[in-house]
Amino acid sequence: MLETILPPEKYEVTTVTSGKEALALLDKKEWDLVISDIMMPQMSGYELTRLIRERYSLTELPILLLTARSEPRDIQSGFLAGANDYVKKPVEALEIRSRIEGLTTIKKVVQEQLQLEAAWLQAQIQPHFLFNTLNAVIALSDIDLDKMRNLLEEFSHFLRHKFKFQNMDELIPIEEELSVVRSYLYIEQVRYENRLQVIWEIDECEDLRIPFLTIQPLVENAIRHGIMKRIHGGQIFIRVSVRETYTEISVEDDGTGMDKDTILRIKETRAGSKSGVGLINTNLRLKRHFGTGLEIESTPGHGTKVSFIVKNKVRLVTK
């Protein structure tokens, strides 16, 4: 039906016969809109909508329901399940095209705004970080010129990548992300010296690709809000652990830890103190790319572990 209503040069339509098939397709690519009949075998449109809303917000993946029933309570049920709009059957071509264009346009505008917001948030550099780094450069100019040059080189590398906006929504090789992390940690270790200990545990994972600037904000958060709140500093563990079907990337510290409310605010994307901005933003971007976000384990006074999962690519073996 939709194939005949929507012009193929403007819309690419994929049709499935059940809600289960629709859910299976969600991870295959990015979708602009889901159009579902309310009455379907095995899984209703309401149930499908609820399941999609567990992963995608109203603006991340709009849902348009088709219904032969127009009672107020039926319409209310659709909106309560998480639908953006509904169209009564039999469908009129002009009406459904208008509804589809409206929903897809809203998604595009919101997505562009999110990309700008992500670029801004990820590129923010705290003034104290800049000032302290420059002060370290000045201090080293009197005692160790080679170390000063190394610090400037790493600082330049870090800044170049921080302002690499064109890649904000792309997946990059993990080694490129780890290179940014190494530059950042070099700068911080020059500043904090023995107060900051870094342990790397990286499995071979050259094929792995992750969103730009996802590990660095976790490391920065661990140092600023965990380790350096303690007089004697502490340790940070950066791990990339390759399993059979997935890879776990984690940043763990033995710092001050987080309380339950802070963890809940980050995972539910609620506004709050500035300490959670980097984690909230990273959590949102990971969900958009992989369907799941950050896992946070923390005990006040004993440290925090922040991790995320990336499914490994399936490798086909031919004989």
Side-chain angles (χ1 to χ4, degrees):
M1 176 192 71
L2 289 175
E3 292 90 338
T4 62
I5 295 176
L6 301 176
E9 66 274 10
K10 188 174 182 180
Y11 296 96
E12 178 186 343
V13 180
T14 301
T15 305
V16 296
T17 58
S18 70
K20 186 177 180 180
E21 286 184 56
L23 291 172
L25 282 178
L26 288 182
D27 289 329
K28 301 298 183 182
K29 56 182 287 188
E30 182 176 355
W31 303 95
D32 295 317
L33 177 66
V34 172
I35 302 173
S36 173
D37 203 326
I38 288 179
M39 302 302 293
M40 296 189 297
Q42 299 180 341
M43 182 187 299
S44 71
Y46 296 139
E47 185 178 355
L48 173 62
T49 299
R50 281 191 291 269
L51 290 172
I52 292 175
R53 283 292 164 259
E54 290 178 1
R55 287 184 47 184
Y56 298 93
S57 70
L58 288 162
T59 53
E60 287 173 330
L61 184 55
I63 300 173
L64 176 63
L65 292 180
L66 306 180
T67 175
R69 306 170 66 179
S70 58
E71 292 294 324
R73 60 185 177 185
D74 297 318
I75 298 170
Q76 182 187 34
S77 296
F79 286 126
L80 288 175
N84 296 72
D85 204 351
Y86 78 97
V87 172
K88 183 182 176 182
K89 299 196 301 185
V91 173
E92 293 186 5
L94 180 60
E95 180 183 9
I96 195 168
R97 278 200 298 265
S98 298
R99 300 294 181 94
I100 289 171
E101 186 169 350
L103 290 173
T104 53
T105 299
I106 289 172
K107 179 189 172 174
K108 182 180 178 181
V109 171
V110 171
Q111 193 172 44
E112 289 172 352
Q113 182 63 36
L114 286 171
Q115 288 172 354
L116 288 172
E117 180 184 343
W120 169 249
L121 288 172
Q122 291 294 355
Q124 284 190 91
I125 300 176
Q126 298 296 324
H128 73 85
F129 174 75
L130 288 174
F131 297 148
N132 289 337
T133 301
L134 292 174
N135 285 335
V137 170
I138 294 170
L140 287 171
S141 67
D142 291 329
I143 58 176
D144 194 331
L145 290 178
D146 287 337
K147 196 170 185 179
M148 181 197 75
R149 282 191 287 268
N150 289 336
L151 178 57
L152 283 172
E153 184 176 339
E154 295 295 343
F155 189 44
S156 174
H157 179 264
F158 174 74
L159 291 177
R160 281 199 306 272
H161 282 78
K162 264 289 192 178
F163 290 98
K164 205 172 182 179
F165 288 162
Q166 65 271 22
N167 288 331
M168 282 306 301
D169 204 36
E170 295 179 9
L171 297 180
I172 62 170
I174 190 170
E175 185 51 46
E176 186 174 332
E177 174 73 6
L178 292 175
S179 176
V180 180
V181 175
R182 291 188 185 97
S183 292
Y184 175 74
L185 284 171
Y186 182 91
I187 296 166
E188 294 293 58
Q189 285 184 299
V190 169
R191 289 174 54 201
Y192 294 119
E193 298 182 328
N194 294 331
R195 291 182 63 205
L196 175 59
Q197 303 296 320
V198 181
I199 295 96
W200 296 84
E201 297 177 4
I202 310 295
D203 290 346
E204 183 66 35
C205 55
E206 60 183 20
D207 294 335
L208 188 66
R209 300 178 73 85
I210 61 174
F212 175 57
L213 287 179
T214 45
I215 302 177
Q216 189 272 329
L218 308 187
V219 173
E220 183 173 348
N221 190 81
I223 294 173
R224 289 185 57 215
H225 303 293
I227 294 174
M228 290 308 152
K229 284 190 174 181
R230 303 172 68 176
I231 296 175
H232 60 276
Q235 292 182 323
I236 182 170
F237 300 82
I238 302 169
R239 300 186 179 95
V240 178
S241 306
V242 179
R243 310 300 186 209
E244 185 175 353
T245 59
Y246 67 91
T247 297
E248 181 185 47
I249 299 164
S250 66
V251 175
E252 185 174 359
D253 66 75
D254 60 358
T256 56
M258 302 182 194
D259 57 34
K260 291 182 179 179
D261 184 66
T262 301
I263 295 174
L264 189 63
R265 172 172 51 77
I266 292 167
K267 299 194 74 172
E268 292 185 351
T269 321
R270 288 191 277 121
S273 67
K274 294 180 180 179
S275 63
V277 170
L279 294 184
I280 289 173
N281 183 252
T282 302
N283 188 46
L284 281 172
R285 295 172 62 222
L286 288 169
K287 284 183 177 179
R288 287 201 293 271
H289 278 286
F290 302 130
T292 57
L294 296 174
E295 289 297 325
I296 303 174
E297 304 170 33
S298 187
T299 304
H302 292 86
T304 300
K305 176 183 176 182
V306 183
S307 63
F308 62 92
I309 296 295
V310 181
K311 292 181 181 178
N312 296 336
K313 288 184 178 179
V314 177
R315 296 184 176 181
L316 300 178
V317 179
T318 58
K319 295 183 179 180

